[in-house]
Amino acid sequence: MIALMITFIIFSVFILYHINRMTNLLCIQKEIPEERHEKIFRTVNILIVILLSTSYIEILYV
């Protein structure tokens, strides 16, 4: 159980890092104003955390 949690946390950090990196590249490529970056990152991060949380719950109980 603990090994699953540690593995999933490492996986989650890896996924969040890469999603944020891709979001940053998208903002640069599409020349989105700096004022909107915070809102974009917040939205993307909240959605990814929800996705990862539901994935963890599904793995835990299935």
Side-chain angles (χ1 to χ4, degrees):
M1 183 75 146
I2 299 294
L4 174 68
M5 187 181 302
I6 291 171
T7 305
F8 200 82
I9 288 172
I10 292 170
F11 170 76
S12 298
V13 169
F14 177 77
I15 293 296
L16 277 170
Y17 170 76
H18 282 287
I19 294 293
N20 280 320
R21 198 172 124 240
M22 289 189 296
T23 304
N24 188 40
L25 291 173
L26 175 74
C27 288
I28 292 169
Q29 182 181 16
K30 296 296 181 184
E31 298 176 358
I32 297 172
E34 288 287 329
E35 301 82 38
R36 294 189 53 209
H37 283 204
E38 184 179 338
K39 184 178 179 185
I40 292 169
F41 276 96
R42 185 180 315 121
T43 303
V44 168
N45 284 332
I46 288 172
L47 293 173
I48 294 299
V49 168
I50 290 170
L51 178 70
L52 289 169
S53 300
T54 56
S55 297
Y56 181 73
I57 291 171
E58 183 177 345
I59 290 170
L60 204 61
Y61 293 109
V62 169

